[in-house]
Amino acid sequence: MKNKTYIPLFLLLLVALTVSGCKYYNFTGAGTINAKTFQVNYFQNYADLVEPGLERDFTIALQDLILTQTNLSLVPSGGELVYEGEITDFRISPMTATADQRSAQNRVNMSVKVRFSNKNNEKDDFEKSFSFFYDYPADQQLTGATLQNAKTALFERILQDIFNESLAKW
């Protein structure tokens, strides 16, 4: 009879410990964030190859990622967390050649320099470059669907790396 009364108490204790553990971990991977607001300053494009709208799309994608992965509020200025920087490289390079010395595959590289500051915890501040690449067949132009696929892959990886470095601490 005594064992049956311990089972509900044990289950209640187990549930309480599980729920309280969510205070220290969440499913997005972000650690405990000591802030309520963030701002993303416009990322200028200083790359030699200028892709129209790249800087706007990148800035908006960073804002969207942080909004969807955290409970932080986006503010135009005075944010506790500040992201700023510039696109430093966006270039296309041939990667592999065919037997007749023609390019079979091209690679688009993108690099972004990011300055992150946390007004509540200055030891989290950093200035770092993030980069990634996307390969595509040489018989395709970097326009239309190919460009959109490249931007999606590049942004996804670079933005996740920025998020991990600034908020997840991975």
Side-chain angles (χ1 to χ4, degrees):
M1 183 80 165
K2 278 187 171 183
N3 288 342
K4 289 185 180 183
T5 58
Y6 289 122
I7 291 173
L9 288 173
F10 176 73
L11 290 174
L12 181 63
L13 179 63
L14 184 64
V15 168
L17 287 173
T18 302
V19 170
S20 69
C22 294
K23 175 181 175 185
Y24 304 103
Y25 178 80
N26 60 48
F27 296 107
T28 65
T32 303
I33 301 169
N34 186 22
K36 297 202 183 312
T37 62
F38 76 99
Q39 78 182 60
V40 177
N41 295 337
Y42 193 74
F43 277 73
Q44 295 292 329
N45 188 354
Y46 294 121
D48 291 336
L49 176 62
V50 176
E51 178 59 43
L54 184 69
E55 64 277 3
R56 178 199 64 232
D57 295 344
F58 184 82
T59 302
I60 292 170
L62 179 56
Q63 292 171 344
D64 289 346
L65 177 72
I66 297 168
L67 283 171
T68 58
Q69 297 288 322
T70 69
N71 61 353
L72 297 171
S73 298
L74 176 64
V75 295
S77 63
E80 296 169 88
L81 307 178
V82 179
Y83 295 84
E84 57 188 353
E86 52 272 345
I87 298 169
T88 57
D89 189 29
F90 189 80
R91 65 186 147 85
I92 302 168
S93 308
M95 291 307 298
T96 58
T98 62
D100 60 351
Q101 300 298 316
R102 294 179 45 207
S103 178
Q105 187 175 35
N106 288 332
R107 173 172 287 178
V108 59
N109 290 288
M110 182 175 171
S111 297
V112 180
K113 187 175 196 177
V114 177
R115 288 175 297 283
F116 171 78
S117 59
N118 181 343
K119 293 180 181 176
N120 299 328
N121 190 1
E122 290 182 7
K123 69 179 177 126
D124 289 344
D125 295 0
F126 67 82
E127 182 172 336
K128 187 174 180 180
S129 291
F130 299 89
S131 61
F132 196 60
F133 62 89
Y134 176 79
D135 294 334
Y136 65 96
D139 63 351
Q140 295 178 4
Q141 295 289 324
L142 190 60
T143 59
T146 304
L147 176 60
Q148 191 56 45
N149 291 340
K151 285 170 56 174
T152 299
L154 293 167
F155 287 7
E156 185 177 295
R157 177 61 180 267
I158 292 171
L159 293 172
Q160 193 61 55
D161 288 348
I162 293 168
F163 180 87
N164 290 345
E165 184 73 23
S166 62
L167 297 174
K169 307 291 188 257
W170 288 11

mmCIF file with all atom_site columns, all heavy atoms in Angstrom, residues 8-20:
data_model
loop_
_atom_site.group_PDB
_atom_site.id
_atom_site.type_symbol
_atom_site.label_atom_id
_atom_site.label_alt_id
_atom_site.label_comp_id
_atom_site.label_asym_id
_atom_site.label_entity_id
_atom_site.label_seq_id
_atom_site.pdbx_PDB_ins_code
_atom_site.Cartn_x
_atom_site.Cartn_y
_atom_site.Cartn_z
_atom_site.occupancy
_atom_site.B_iso_or_equiv
_atom_site.pdbx_formal_charge
_atom_site.auth_seq_id
_atom_site.auth_comp_id
_atom_site.auth_asym_id
_atom_site.auth_atom_id
_atom_site.pdbx_PDB_model_num
ATOM 1  N N   . PRO A 1 8  ? 2.540  8.422  -7.306  1.00 0.00 ? 8  PRO A N   1
ATOM 2  C CA  . PRO A 1 8  ? 2.079  9.757  -7.729  1.00 0.00 ? 8  PRO A CA  1
ATOM 3  C C   . PRO A 1 8  ? 3.029  10.875 -7.287  1.00 0.00 ? 8  PRO A C   1
ATOM 4  O O   . PRO A 1 8  ? 3.260  11.834 -8.024  1.00 0.00 ? 8  PRO A O   1
ATOM 5  C CB  . PRO A 1 8  ? 0.709  9.914  -7.071  1.00 0.00 ? 8  PRO A CB  1
ATOM 6  C CG  . PRO A 1 8  ? 0.251  8.528  -6.774  1.00 0.00 ? 8  PRO A CG  1
ATOM 7  C CD  . PRO A 1 8  ? 1.497  7.727  -6.530  1.00 0.00 ? 8  PRO A CD  1
ATOM 8  N N   . LEU A 1 9  ? 3.599  10.755 -6.091  1.00 0.00 ? 9  LEU A N   1
ATOM 9  C CA  . LEU A 1 9  ? 4.540  11.772 -5.617  1.00 0.00 ? 9  LEU A CA  1
ATOM 10 C C   . LEU A 1 9  ? 5.803  11.775 -6.480  1.00 0.00 ? 9  LEU A C   1
ATOM 11 O O   . LEU A 1 9  ? 6.341  12.841 -6.812  1.00 0.00 ? 9  LEU A O   1
ATOM 12 C CB  . LEU A 1 9  ? 4.911  11.529 -4.148  1.00 0.00 ? 9  LEU A CB  1
ATOM 13 C CG  . LEU A 1 9  ? 3.805  11.828 -3.141  1.00 0.00 ? 9  LEU A CG  1
ATOM 14 C CD1 . LEU A 1 9  ? 4.228  11.399 -1.740  1.00 0.00 ? 9  LEU A CD1 1
ATOM 15 C CD2 . LEU A 1 9  ? 3.456  13.294 -3.165  1.00 0.00 ? 9  LEU A CD2 1
ATOM 16 N N   . PHE A 1 10 ? 6.268  10.596 -6.850  1.00 0.00 ? 10 PHE A N   1
ATOM 17 C CA  . PHE A 1 10 ? 7.448  10.494 -7.705  1.00 0.00 ? 10 PHE A CA  1
ATOM 18 C C   . PHE A 1 10 ? 7.170  11.100 -9.083  1.00 0.00 ? 10 PHE A C   1
ATOM 19 O O   . PHE A 1 10 ? 7.984  11.847 -9.620  1.00 0.00 ? 10 PHE A O   1
ATOM 20 C CB  . PHE A 1 10 ? 7.869  9.023  -7.849  1.00 0.00 ? 10 PHE A CB  1
ATOM 21 C CG  . PHE A 1 10 ? 9.009  8.829  -8.798  1.00 0.00 ? 10 PHE A CG  1
ATOM 22 C CD1 . PHE A 1 10 ? 10.296 9.201  -8.448  1.00 0.00 ? 10 PHE A CD1 1
ATOM 23 C CD2 . PHE A 1 10 ? 8.798  8.302  -10.068 1.00 0.00 ? 10 PHE A CD2 1
ATOM 24 C CE1 . PHE A 1 10 ? 11.350 9.041  -9.323  1.00 0.00 ? 10 PHE A CE1 1
ATOM 25 C CE2 . PHE A 1 10 ? 9.842  8.142  -10.954 1.00 0.00 ? 10 PHE A CE2 1
ATOM 26 C CZ  . PHE A 1 10 ? 11.136 8.515  -10.575 1.00 0.00 ? 10 PHE A CZ  1
ATOM 27 N N   . LEU A 1 11 ? 6.016  10.812 -9.657  1.00 0.00 ? 11 LEU A N   1
ATOM 28 C CA  . LEU A 1 11 ? 5.642  11.382 -10.958 1.00 0.00 ? 11 LEU A CA  1
ATOM 29 C C   . LEU A 1 11 ? 5.508  12.899 -10.884 1.00 0.00 ? 11 LEU A C   1
ATOM 30 O O   . LEU A 1 11 ? 5.941  13.616 -11.787 1.00 0.00 ? 11 LEU A O   1
ATOM 31 C CB  . LEU A 1 11 ? 4.345  10.749 -11.472 1.00 0.00 ? 11 LEU A CB  1
ATOM 32 C CG  . LEU A 1 11 ? 4.442  9.280  -11.905 1.00 0.00 ? 11 LEU A CG  1
ATOM 33 C CD1 . LEU A 1 11 ? 3.065  8.739  -12.254 1.00 0.00 ? 11 LEU A CD1 1
ATOM 34 C CD2 . LEU A 1 11 ? 5.385  9.139  -13.063 1.00 0.00 ? 11 LEU A CD2 1
ATOM 35 N N   . LEU A 1 12 ? 4.932  13.415 -9.813  1.00 0.00 ? 12 LEU A N   1
ATOM 36 C CA  . LEU A 1 12 ? 4.797  14.854 -9.634  1.00 0.00 ? 12 LEU A CA  1
ATOM 37 C C   . LEU A 1 12 ? 6.172  15.518 -9.543  1.00 0.00 ? 12 LEU A C   1
ATOM 38 O O   . LEU A 1 12 ? 6.417  16.559 -10.157 1.00 0.00 ? 12 LEU A O   1
ATOM 39 C CB  . LEU A 1 12 ? 3.969  15.153 -8.382  1.00 0.00 ? 12 LEU A CB  1
ATOM 40 C CG  . LEU A 1 12 ? 3.722  16.629 -8.073  1.00 0.00 ? 12 LEU A CG  1
ATOM 41 C CD1 . LEU A 1 12 ? 2.904  17.265 -9.193  1.00 0.00 ? 12 LEU A CD1 1
ATOM 42 C CD2 . LEU A 1 12 ? 3.019  16.772 -6.740  1.00 0.00 ? 12 LEU A CD2 1
ATOM 43 N N   . LEU A 1 13 ? 7.067  14.898 -8.800  1.00 0.00 ? 13 LEU A N   1
ATOM 44 C CA  . LEU A 1 13 ? 8.434  15.418 -8.677  1.00 0.00 ? 13 LEU A CA  1
ATOM 45 C C   . LEU A 1 13 ? 9.146  15.392 -10.029 1.00 0.00 ? 13 LEU A C   1
ATOM 46 O O   . LEU A 1 13 ? 9.823  16.345 -10.406 1.00 0.00 ? 13 LEU A O   1
ATOM 47 C CB  . LEU A 1 13 ? 9.226  14.610 -7.644  1.00 0.00 ? 13 LEU A CB  1
ATOM 48 C CG  . LEU A 1 13 ? 10.677 15.022 -7.432  1.00 0.00 ? 13 LEU A CG  1
ATOM 49 C CD1 . LEU A 1 13 ? 10.754 16.438 -6.884  1.00 0.00 ? 13 LEU A CD1 1
ATOM 50 C CD2 . LEU A 1 13 ? 11.376 14.056 -6.511  1.00 0.00 ? 13 LEU A CD2 1
ATOM 51 N N   . LEU A 1 14 ? 8.971  14.319 -10.780 1.00 0.00 ? 14 LEU A N   1
ATOM 52 C CA  . LEU A 1 14 ? 9.588  14.191 -12.093 1.00 0.00 ? 14 LEU A CA  1
ATOM 53 C C   . LEU A 1 14 ? 9.080  15.275 -13.053 1.00 0.00 ? 14 LEU A C   1
ATOM 54 O O   . LEU A 1 14 ? 9.869  15.901 -13.763 1.00 0.00 ? 14 LEU A O   1
ATOM 55 C CB  . LEU A 1 14 ? 9.317  12.802 -12.673 1.00 0.00 ? 14 LEU A CB  1
ATOM 56 C CG  . LEU A 1 14 ? 9.973  12.473 -14.004 1.00 0.00 ? 14 LEU A CG  1
ATOM 57 C CD1 . LEU A 1 14 ? 11.492 12.464 -13.849 1.00 0.00 ? 14 LEU A CD1 1
ATOM 58 C CD2 . LEU A 1 14 ? 9.490  11.135 -14.512 1.00 0.00 ? 14 LEU A CD2 1
ATOM 59 N N   . VAL A 1 15 ? 7.791  15.527 -13.061 1.00 0.00 ? 15 VAL A N   1
ATOM 60 C CA  . VAL A 1 15 ? 7.218  16.566 -13.911 1.00 0.00 ? 15 VAL A CA  1
ATOM 61 C C   . VAL A 1 15 ? 7.735  17.944 -13.486 1.00 0.00 ? 15 VAL A C   1
ATOM 62 O O   . VAL A 1 15 ? 8.102  18.771 -14.325 1.00 0.00 ? 15 VAL A O   1
ATOM 63 C CB  . VAL A 1 15 ? 5.670  16.519 -13.885 1.00 0.00 ? 15 VAL A CB  1
ATOM 64 C CG1 . VAL A 1 15 ? 5.062  17.753 -14.516 1.00 0.00 ? 15 VAL A CG1 1
ATOM 65 C CG2 . VAL A 1 15 ? 5.174  15.262 -14.567 1.00 0.00 ? 15 VAL A CG2 1
ATOM 66 N N   . ALA A 1 16 ? 7.809  18.201 -12.204 1.00 0.00 ? 16 ALA A N   1
ATOM 67 C CA  . ALA A 1 16 ? 8.285  19.499 -11.708 1.00 0.00 ? 16 ALA A CA  1
ATOM 68 C C   . ALA A 1 16 ? 9.735  19.732 -12.124 1.00 0.00 ? 16 ALA A C   1
ATOM 69 O O   . ALA A 1 16 ? 10.103 20.835 -12.549 1.00 0.00 ? 16 ALA A O   1
ATOM 70 C CB  . ALA A 1 16 ? 8.141  19.576 -10.197 1.00 0.00 ? 16 ALA A CB  1
ATOM 71 N N   . LEU A 1 17 ? 10.569 18.723 -12.032 1.00 0.00 ? 17 LEU A N   1
ATOM 72 C CA  . LEU A 1 17 ? 11.969 18.861 -12.432 1.00 0.00 ? 17 LEU A CA  1
ATOM 73 C C   . LEU A 1 17 ? 12.101 19.060 -13.942 1.00 0.00 ? 17 LEU A C   1
ATOM 74 O O   . LEU A 1 17 ? 12.928 19.844 -14.402 1.00 0.00 ? 17 LEU A O   1
ATOM 75 C CB  . LEU A 1 17 ? 12.778 17.636 -12.001 1.00 0.00 ? 17 LEU A CB  1
ATOM 76 C CG  . LEU A 1 17 ? 13.059 17.530 -10.505 1.00 0.00 ? 17 LEU A CG  1
ATOM 77 C CD1 . LEU A 1 17 ? 13.723 16.199 -10.180 1.00 0.00 ? 17 LEU A CD1 1
ATOM 78 C CD2 . LEU A 1 17 ? 13.913 18.689 -10.038 1.00 0.00 ? 17 LEU A CD2 1
ATOM 79 N N   . THR A 1 18 ? 11.290 18.377 -14.701 1.00 0.00 ? 18 THR A N   1
ATOM 80 C CA  . THR A 1 18 ? 11.339 18.514 -16.158 1.00 0.00 ? 18 THR A CA  1
ATOM 81 C C   . THR A 1 18 ? 10.930 19.920 -16.583 1.00 0.00 ? 18 THR A C   1
ATOM 82 O O   . THR A 1 18 ? 11.593 20.545 -17.413 1.00 0.00 ? 18 THR A O   1
ATOM 83 C CB  . THR A 1 18 ? 10.413 17.477 -16.820 1.00 0.00 ? 18 THR A CB  1
ATOM 84 O OG1 . THR A 1 18 ? 10.809 16.169 -16.408 1.00 0.00 ? 18 THR A OG1 1
ATOM 85 C CG2 . THR A 1 18 ? 10.467 17.583 -18.327 1.00 0.00 ? 18 THR A CG2 1
ATOM 86 N N   . VAL A 1 19 ? 9.854  20.442 -16.022 1.00 0.00 ? 19 VAL A N   1
ATOM 87 C CA  . VAL A 1 19 ? 9.377  21.768 -16.382 1.00 0.00 ? 19 VAL A CA  1
ATOM 88 C C   . VAL A 1 19 ? 10.378 22.842 -15.950 1.00 0.00 ? 19 VAL A C   1
ATOM 89 O O   . VAL A 1 19 ? 10.656 23.780 -16.678 1.00 0.00 ? 19 VAL A O   1
ATOM 90 C CB  . VAL A 1 19 ? 7.974  22.019 -15.790 1.00 0.00 ? 19 VAL A CB  1
ATOM 91 C CG1 . VAL A 1 19 ? 7.557  23.473 -15.943 1.00 0.00 ? 19 VAL A CG1 1
ATOM 92 C CG2 . VAL A 1 19 ? 6.964  21.101 -16.434 1.00 0.00 ? 19 VAL A CG2 1
ATOM 93 N N   . SER A 1 20 ? 10.937 22.699 -14.756 1.00 0.00 ? 20 SER A N   1
ATOM 94 C CA  . SER A 1 20 ? 11.895 23.709 -14.293 1.00 0.00 ? 20 SER A CA  1
ATOM 95 C C   . SER A 1 20 ? 13.187 23.664 -15.108 1.00 0.00 ? 20 SER A C   1
ATOM 96 O O   . SER A 1 20 ? 13.881 24.662 -15.223 1.00 0.00 ? 20 SER A O   1
ATOM 97 C CB  . SER A 1 20 ? 12.210 23.531 -12.811 1.00 0.00 ? 20 SER A CB  1
ATOM 98 O OG  . SER A 1 20 ? 12.956 22.340 -12.598 1.00 0.00 ? 20 SER A OG  1
#
